[in-house]
Amino acid sequence: MIARSSLLVAIAALFAGYNQHHHSCAAFTPVPTLRGDVHNDNGIQQVRFGRATGARLDALNNSNNSASAKEIQESNQDEGILGSISPPYFLAYVLFLGYAFVRSSTEPEGVSMEVLQQFLADSLNPGGNELFVSIFNLLGLYFIPIACILLPGARHQRFPAAPFLLGSMFGGYGVLGPYVFTRKPDPNPVAKEDLGFFVRNVTENKLVNWLVFAAFCSAYVQTGFVEALVSHPTDLFEGFVELFKDTAIASASTVDFVILTLSAASFIPEDLERRQWSGNKSAAALSTLLLPGVGMALYCALRPSLDEQE
């Protein structure tokens, strides 16, 4: 388990590093110099800057942000779909689909369907392994914190985010992947007034964020995972490994959950840059891996709020 956790941290660091490489240049955008009149009275040079007010500085910042947004749009048009593909996310997508196909085509007929029917009868207590039951239920919630992170930077992307995010509630990374590997990182600061009604009042709402965090915690408890972890941890993990080997639905769902967890963590440095947070962004991203799902929901509740106005 320790080696496996180390591998997850390393992969997440790779994702985060790739994102930071693409948007770090935004920090070095040149600021135009304010020019004023220069006079020389009695050998003393005086510099008058005229109306170098805060309003003008704000206008300069806004123009830089608009220029960056325009660059993203022009880049999408110039590169085409193939040119805009992000290799780490695309590779994860291809490997996930390939793995799911191979597992489903090699398992005995009807095995995964039997497990799925148990979930349809009682999603929280289908009678299977508690760890897998937790993972399967959390997959249906993961689109919410991912939406909280991606939507503020979704205005100038190639495709609209909403269909992919909603579809991921049922199809996980199999549906979300095409949006993720074709999007451009957009760490430019954004104000709430520039966002849509849903983002402004729902995904950026701290009360909603805490309710989502409570839902993730509840999923671990209601499925019996916490009780099983305390009372018989060995049987819990051995049963999960056996289920992972025997059924495609368990193995594919677990791989899907891992990819979503790593992908969501990799978006955090970009999100924190957008919120102009000066702390260690990579450490914040990696900390969400300590408790998958719950860590991401907690991040959304604790992250800095966007400014109301630019």
Side-chain angles (χ1 to χ4, degrees):
M1 294 299 294
I2 295 177
R4 180 173 166 182
S5 299
S6 300
L7 177 62
L8 295 183
V9 170
I11 296 175
L14 172 63
F15 275 107
Y18 184 84
N19 267 357
Q20 287 181 320
H21 169 72
H22 274 268
H23 69 246
S24 60
C25 293
F28 300 97
T29 303
V31 178
T33 303
L34 296 177
R35 294 194 296 179
D37 298 327
V38 180
H39 298 276
N40 195 318
D41 297 332
N42 298 324
I44 301 177
Q45 188 180 49
Q46 297 178 345
V47 180
R48 186 174 70 249
F49 287 97
R51 296 182 178 180
T53 62
R56 184 175 178 182
L57 293 176
D58 290 341
L60 291 173
N61 288 332
N62 292 340
S63 65
N64 286 338
N65 292 342
S66 300
S68 298
K70 185 176 180 180
E71 289 175 1
I72 293 175
Q73 291 177 314
E74 291 178 349
S75 176
N76 284 333
Q77 294 174 354
D78 295 340
E79 292 180 350
I81 295 179
L82 294 180
S84 65
I85 288 178
S86 174
Y89 300 107
F90 179 72
L91 180 61
Y93 183 72
V94 172
L95 291 177
F96 169 63
L97 292 185
Y99 178 79
F101 175 78
V102 171
R103 288 292 287 120
S104 61
S105 61
T106 56
E107 76 168 2
E109 185 177 356
V111 174
S112 290
M113 182 57 65
E114 182 180 349
V115 175
L116 183 58
Q117 288 175 347
Q118 293 175 347
F119 274 97
L120 293 176
D122 188 347
S123 60
L124 290 177
N125 298 287
N129 179 268
E130 293 85 354
L131 176 54
F132 171 63
V133 175
S134 297
I135 290 174
F136 197 80
N137 279 277
L138 289 172
L139 280 173
L141 293 174
Y142 230 137
F143 79 100
I144 304 176
I146 292 179
C148 292
I149 297 174
L150 292 183
L151 286 179
R155 292 181 300 168
H156 307 292
Q157 300 299 335
R158 179 181 298 278
F159 300 114
F164 296 93
L165 290 167
L166 291 174
S168 68
M169 177 170 56
F170 305 100
Y173 196 73
V175 176
L176 183 65
Y179 176 78
V180 169
F181 66 68
T182 57
R183 71 182 292 273
K184 292 286 187 181
D186 184 7
N188 297 298
V190 61
K192 286 185 179 180
E193 66 174 0
D194 296 325
L195 301 175
F197 175 86
F198 182 81
V199 179
R200 194 169 60 246
N201 296 285
V202 179
T203 62
E204 289 294 324
N205 187 307
K206 290 301 181 183
L207 176 59
V208 173
N209 296 155
W210 282 111
L211 289 175
V212 172
F213 170 71
F216 271 82
C217 293
S218 176
Y220 276 110
V221 176
Q222 294 295 323
T223 56
F225 169 75
V226 174
E227 180 181 352
L229 183 64
V230 174
S231 60
H232 49 276
T234 302
D235 294 339
L236 174 67
F237 289 106
E238 288 180 351
F240 175 75
V241 171
E242 183 178 352
L243 188 65
F244 184 94
K245 293 178 179 178
D246 294 342
T247 64
I249 190 172
S251 56
S253 296
T254 302
V255 172
D256 191 10
F257 185 73
V258 171
I259 293 176
L260 287 175
T261 300
L262 296 176
S263 298
S266 73
F267 302 140
I268 289 180
E270 175 190 341
D271 186 56
L272 289 174
E273 184 75 19
R274 184 182 300 119
R275 296 165 193 278
Q276 304 180 66
W277 189 67
S278 59
N280 191 323
K281 300 175 181 62
S282 295
L286 293 175
S287 67
T288 63
L289 302 178
L290 297 177
L291 191 55
V294 172
M296 192 58 55
L298 181 61
Y299 162 77
C300 292
L302 296 178
R303 66 184 177 173
S305 298
L306 293 172
D307 292 335
E308 293 293 335
Q309 297 180 335
E310 288 186 320

